[in-house]
Amino acid sequence: MRLIDENGLRIDGRKVDELRPIRIEAGVLKRADGSAYVEWGKNKVIAAVYGPRECHPRHLQDPSKALVQCRYNMIAFSVMERKRPGPDRRSVEISKIIAEALEYVIFTEYFPRTSIDVYIEILQANAGTRCAGLTAASVALADAGVPMKDLVPAVAVGKVDNQVVLDLTKEEDNHGQADLPMAIIPRTGEVLLMQMDGHMTVEEFNKAIDLGYKACEKIYQLQKDALRRRYAVEEIETFEEAQHPQTAMEE
Ligand code: CDP
């Protein structure tokens, strides 16, 4: 199966160094302390955050810091073949790596004995869902007001038809030669998450990481824009309340 044509374009028309269209919204849920929705190509992901709140079961409490718990879940209709509900090996792994990445950026020492719970629901999947999930989760944490070193943008790079490509789709993931999800802390440039499935030469690896870094910077801007928009709406609401306090109370 040919994944890159003679003009260097991929099946969905993108160039090798092009991201899929990404849309991020912050604060999409009323009940959670923080939330975010991410559409990333054909991926649709929602993240919700509760906490810091009292940690249950109590024996998991850490007197020196908050516990960061994450549940990544694919819903039954998110993939081609109905996904059997409940955790499987893959979702347990992804939940673990996302929790570990987030724990590193959250100032957990500010909230001893508490738990910060992150829920990631994949509504529709088309490869790169762990990256979309982590990207959404960090926006949801910021929306919840959880103090963090930085937001966390994530993206997968890889190798397809002997070329290094950015942001693989499901077809490219299935038929490609390598898939390398990564996440960074933009402020420090630290790598927060890196996994690799497949093979690349050192040269290809360096090129892939470079592509990933540049893309993460773009995703970081989208994350910040989403939070700014969310904040701007709040400001307008407060202003309206100030102008029409009676109407605001009746509501
Ligand atoms: O989603 P991500 O690329 O982070 O993880 P993956 O394990 O590399 O899975 C790649 C893609 O395979 C997912 O995004 C889904 O589109 C698909 N998949 C599926 O169809 N059924 C599953 N049970 C798991 C994954």
Side-chain angles (χ1 to χ4, degrees):
M1 184 174 184
R2 203 157 164 203
L3 297 166
I4 303 180
D5 72 13
E6 56 284 0
N7 301 317
L9 296 179
R10 297 150 74 178
I11 292 177
D12 59 4
R14 277 184 297 153
K15 301 192 198 87
V16 288
D17 60 352
E18 209 175 316
L19 277 169
R20 290 177 278 186
I22 300 175
R23 184 164 78 89
I24 306 178
E25 299 291 336
V28 292
L29 302 171
K30 277 261 184 285
R31 307 279 175 262
D33 294 322
S35 59
Y37 173 66
V38 171
E39 260 179 30
W40 184 318
K42 290 179 185 153
N43 290 314
K44 294 185 179 180
V45 176
I46 203 149
V49 167
Y50 288 91
R53 62 182 178 183
E54 199 175 341
C55 180
H56 288 290
R58 291 177 69 104
H59 70 86
L60 289 178
Q61 284 184 2
D62 186 331
S64 64
K65 59 181 169 60
L67 180 72
V68 179
Q69 307 194 82
C70 175
R71 192 189 74 159
Y72 163 102
N73 182 52
M74 277 183 150
I75 60 175
F77 52 80
S78 63
V79 286
M80 291 284 277
E81 305 252 316
R82 176 181 175 275
K83 156 85 175 58
R84 218 171 131 233
D88 52 17
R89 274 177 60 120
R90 177 178 170 278
S91 67
V92 170
E93 174 220 317
I94 297 179
S95 302
K96 180 175 184 288
I97 56 148
I98 291 181
E100 284 170 2
L102 293 173
E103 192 184 353
Y104 190 76
V105 286
I106 297 171
F107 290 107
T108 53
E109 64 277 18
Y110 290 2
F111 306 102
R113 294 186 195 283
T114 66
S115 174
I116 298 171
D117 303 323
V118 180
Y119 297 91
I120 297 170
E121 294 290 328
I122 309 299
L123 310 179
Q124 190 171 287
N126 191 268
T129 60
R130 74 194 63 206
C131 295
L134 183 50
T135 300
S138 74
V139 174
L141 281 162
D143 181 45
V146 174
M148 289 187 289
K149 289 180 196 154
D150 205 353
L151 291 165
V152 181
V155 72
V157 282
K159 183 175 166 186
V160 162
D161 281 0
N162 292 320
Q163 290 195 53
V164 172
V165 298
L166 176 70
D167 191 17
L168 283 69
T169 59
K170 173 126 174 63
E171 272 156 332
E172 293 172 331
D173 187 1
N174 285 3
H175 305 286
Q177 293 143 296
D179 175 29
L180 196 159
M182 61 183 277
I184 64 163
I185 305 179
R187 210 181 285 271
T188 60
E190 284 167 279
V191 172
L192 194 55
L193 177 129
M194 185 171 282
Q195 298 183 286
M196 182 147 106
D197 195 5
H199 299 278
M200 278 185 195
T201 64
V202 173
E203 200 187 324
E204 286 163 348
F205 178 80
N206 289 334
K207 198 171 162 190
I209 298 303
D210 189 43
L211 271 184
Y213 262 93
K214 287 186 181 129
C216 280
E217 281 299 333
K218 289 186 189 152
I219 298 159
Y220 185 46
Q221 296 306 325
L222 297 175
Q223 291 177 305
K224 288 195 288 189
D225 285 350
L227 288 161
R228 277 193 205 106
R229 284 199 310 277
R230 156 90 169 130
Y231 192 58
V233 170
E234 291 247 307
E235 258 178 4
I236 291 165
E237 277 171 7
T238 318
F239 178 73
E240 275 173 4
E241 272 173 38
Q243 295 291 302
H244 311 283
Q246 197 56 42
T247 337
M249 272 168 68
E250 278 162 12
E251 277 169 11

